[in-house]
Amino acid sequence: LRPALAVLLVVGLLLAWSWAPLRSSPELAPAASSTKPAIASDLALAGGPGARRAGRRRRKTAPQHPITIAESVALLESVDLFVFDCDGVIWRGDTLIEGIKETLEALRRLGKRLVFVTNNSTRSRKQYAEKFRKLGLEWVTEENIFASSFAAAAYLKAKGFDKKAYVIGEDGILGELEAAGIRHLGGPADAARKVDLASGGNTSVQVDPDVGAVIVGFDRHFNYYKLQYATKCLRE
């Protein structure tokens, strides 16, 4: 291909520039202002029975100098924005981790802004927002979520990309590309395609000349066809 080709390895959030407007985003407005007594009480609420049980289980590996309540209050007062990973932090599979809902609600009552990030590109922000809703966190919207699928699409849009993107990945990337108005091909649609390796396979795959970028994310249906198509897009 004549145009320059961009290879986006979707393994993390690439948009550092997107954090500046985050601090003033109305969608992330805090639930209430904070005071020291409120912080202390909310710390107690967040550390409910489940947290105490977890604390007992971890007692043998507890730090020699655990943080005090006063230090916790000082830390919370010094931070306005909390950024959470999702898998293994907010949920495990389709189950909310014990105590996380109370912790998030406590932070909201303290007037903190909460953002959720993930390098799992299999879902779009819309799909992640729906998962949050099903887990009882209805207040989390797309504006609170920064997924690597969104980062890839936003990066291309910011660059004024006007060609097609070939995707090795799943529906999350496709959904974000569509939301950004970027044409695409590949993804799950190429899951069943095969290459004749006995004949070298090279001549049987003809690439779309309008492809200007290859996006690579987690793909549970990765195959030789996708690998060869993406490689030819980059070389031709």
Side-chain angles (χ1 to χ4, degrees), residues 139-156:
W139 51 270
V140 179
T141 69
E142 293 181 35
E143 297 300 325
N144 299 91
I145 303 167
F146 286 80
S148 54
S149 52
F150 165 70
Y155 175 80
L156 290 179

Side-chain angles (χ1 to χ4, degrees), residues 23-189:
R23 298 185 178 181
S24 59
S25 174
E27 292 82 0
L28 304 184
S33 60
S34 61
T35 63
K36 286 189 177 181
I39 290 177
S41 67
D42 279 318
L43 282 172
L45 287 172
R52 288 194 292 273
R53 288 196 298 271
R56 288 196 293 270
R57 289 196 295 269
R58 294 193 297 267
R59 189 167 295 165
K60 291 182 179 180
T61 58
Q64 294 182 353
H65 304 287
I67 188 170
T68 65
I69 290 294
E71 290 171 333
S72 299
V73 170
L75 175 62
L76 286 173
E77 286 185 330
S78 68
V79 177
D80 296 321
L81 173 66
F82 285 78
V83 181
F84 291 87
D85 190 10
C86 294
D87 296 308
V89 176
I90 304 299
W91 55 62
R92 290 191 185 95
D94 292 324
T95 303
L96 201 65
I97 290 177
E98 185 179 21
I100 193 65
K101 184 173 183 178
E102 294 80 4
T103 299
L104 296 177
E105 291 295 346
L107 290 173
R108 293 185 73 216
R109 285 194 296 272
L110 296 174
K112 307 303 180 180
R113 296 189 176 102
L114 308 180
V115 172
F116 304 91
V117 301
T118 176
N119 63 355
N120 186 336
S121 65
T122 59
R123 300 186 190 214
S124 64
R125 290 187 302 163
K126 182 178 181 179
Q127 291 170 315
Y128 275 116
E130 177 62 17
K131 181 170 183 175
F132 275 100
R133 187 192 66 77
K134 290 181 178 179
L135 292 175
L137 301 174
E138 297 87 354
W139 51 270
V140 179
T141 69
E142 293 181 35
E143 297 300 325
N144 299 91
I145 303 167
F146 286 80
S148 54
S149 52
F150 165 70
Y155 175 80
L156 290 179
K157 186 175 181 179
K159 291 291 185 180
F161 184 76
D162 61 356
K163 298 181 73 63
K164 295 179 182 178
Y166 181 74
V167 177
I168 296 178
E170 302 192 9
D171 288 333
I173 298 175
L174 302 188
E176 292 293 355
L177 289 174
E178 290 168 5
I182 297 173
R183 297 171 296 157
H184 58 81
L185 63 157

Side-chain angles (χ1 to χ4, degrees), residues 153-235:
Y155 175 80
L156 290 179
K157 186 175 181 179
K159 291 291 185 180
F161 184 76
D162 61 356
K163 298 181 73 63
K164 295 179 182 178
Y166 181 74
V167 177
I168 296 178
E170 302 192 9
D171 288 333
I173 298 175
L174 302 188
E176 292 293 355
L177 289 174
E178 290 168 5
I182 297 173
R183 297 171 296 157
H184 58 81
L185 63 157
D190 287 348
R193 297 202 176 191
K194 298 180 179 180
V195 174
D196 183 5
L197 298 178
S199 63
N202 191 50
T203 58
S204 62
V205 177
Q206 301 298 320
V207 301
D208 188 326
D210 202 29
V211 171
V214 173
I215 302 177
V216 182
F218 181 68
D219 192 332
R220 285 168 284 198
H221 305 285
F222 182 71
N223 55 33
Y224 280 111
Y225 176 87
K226 294 181 180 182
L227 177 62
Q228 187 173 66
Y229 197 104
T231 302
K232 293 190 73 173
C233 285
L234 297 173
R235 289 182 174 178

